[in-house]
Amino acid sequence: MAKVIRDLSDTSSYWAAIWAMCPMPDVHVICDAPIGCFNLVATAVPDYTDSVPHIENVTPSVITEQEVGGSGTGEAVFRTYEGLRDEGWLEGKKLIVVSTAESEMIGSDLSDLVSKMGEGTTYFHSESLSDDEHVGRDRVLTWLWDNYGEGNTDGIEQEAGLVNIIGPTYGCFNSPSDLHEVKRLIEGAGGRVNMVFPYACELKDITNLAKAQVNVIMYQEFGHTLAEKLGQPSLHAPFGIRGTTKFLQQLGDLLGTRDQANAFITQERKSTLQVVWDLWRGPQSDWFPTTSVGISTTRTYAEGLQSYLGDELGMPISFVAPRPRKVDEMNNHDVRKAIHDNPPTLVYGSINERIYMAEAGASRSAFMPAAFPGSMVCRSVGTPFMGYRGTVHLIQDIVNKLYDALFGFLPLDSAYSKAQGSGMAGAVKPAQVGDKGNMPWQADAQEVLDKALDKLPFLARISASRELQMRVETEAKANNLQEVTAELAMSVLAAQAD
């Protein structure tokens, strides 16, 4: 029996092309697509992922059954071009025609047609049917350089201290905040940001990429091919305290500003990182070795979170599922099974993982947004995962989630009164909360309780153990039992789970 793919963790390279090209205001894209594909990539998906503004510089050719059935998409694309030209949408812009899965399925190739659509118009075959968004982003960044940059660099010289940031595009999780932190680190190490490509630049300035002394590649999934073609030394954007310190030292060495980088590190230890010391070494320090973590996100964030939370803070990592995955790594089925079998205290992931948690009834676990698809909004510059400020944001978020978990087990009188009034099995009256609970338990009954507690996050078990015990013993007394039996424990705990 064939295995049906339940969920997808990546989009196609067509989406990558649009998200990489359209942040640049001097570009206009015609996507060789039906109207529905335009709506998805240009409106619906960005609105429900990183909530970027409506993308104004992409227009569909609106191919119909007639084009698909025989005439081809060329006339529809040319008609779209004429409309944009006549209405003034293309003034001061480079026009790029991009293929989609629909146009690729019928073999449309508009390489020749674009030569009739205004000077400088190009055609990008997105390979939507074969490549995922990560491969697509890597290829389109290089393609933009090949077609608009590489051949026009005469007279451009490298300038000491300049640093490119390569990779941020629409559709990248948390990019505004992580980009803000990476800029801060570069400046702290003595560098100056040259270009943020393609997220915060114009296509006409692409040749200035050659001016930089160093490239910082934001993501492990893409950007390396372009960086290699540019030829400057490259570093990855960092995670964790150790990773960020190493990044700053290496960048200082490459720029010749090591003393300034070291001074910045010293100052950060006294300021930004003080919060980490307070939380990691404070009263909460006992929590970290007992708080399990599951991670399912892009490789950049998966490996960064694993390194910081696992290697530096000592938190047990239940599973790590990087995207895009390699052959021997966990797929979505594996992640779903891991969450159903033994839900971690914290799960970093996308809406997929949140759905798996809901399916498993993992109400005691906490979902931590760390990947698209959302839905979530990631537009603030105050929520980084990368860099020193990322270490503070992450540990602060974790501690607050753990406090929330504890709050869920507080024996509030109003909660018990409400439960009692509803006739819920095993409800405890307020006056009974202080009962010492000395009723004997059969060995099988104690085993039932232990198994129920094993399904809860470790931190919550202390409070939950007392609460569940009291619920079972209250029901036993109501049934005039002298000891707690396994059958009664299973009945009460099943009702509690519901």
Side-chain angles (χ1 to χ4, degrees), residues 202-218:
E202 296 189 15
L203 187 60
K204 66 180 178 60
D205 297 325
I206 188 172
T207 54
N208 289 331
L209 286 169
K211 287 184 177 181
Q213 188 178 356
V214 178
N215 295 315
V216 172
I217 305 172
M218 278 281 287

Side-chain angles (χ1 to χ4, degrees), residues 111-173:
S111 301
D112 294 332
L113 178 67
V114 294
S115 63
K116 305 174 183 177
M117 295 169 59
E119 184 179 355
T121 301
T122 50
Y123 176 65
F124 181 73
H125 195 275
S126 71
E127 302 289 353
S128 180
L129 294 175
S130 59
D131 292 346
D132 64 32
E133 62 176 288
H134 310 294
V135 173
R137 280 190 176 99
D138 191 74
R139 193 165 63 88
V140 73
L141 295 182
T142 307
W143 181 87
L144 289 168
W145 173 253
D146 291 342
N147 284 269
Y148 296 97
E150 188 173 30
N152 304 308
T153 58
D154 291 345
I156 294 180
E157 297 182 357
Q158 195 173 96
E159 185 174 337
L162 291 185
V163 180
N164 292 324
I165 301 176
I166 295 175
T169 74
Y170 288 156
C172 291
F173 171 76

Side-chain angles (χ1 to χ4, degrees), residues 384-404:
F385 280 43
M386 297 177 178
Y388 284 148
R389 287 184 176 173
T391 67
V392 174
H393 169 69
L394 288 169
I395 197 170
Q396 173 181 282
D397 206 20
I398 289 169
V399 171
N400 285 334
K401 291 293 185 183
L402 295 177
Y403 281 140
D404 281 346

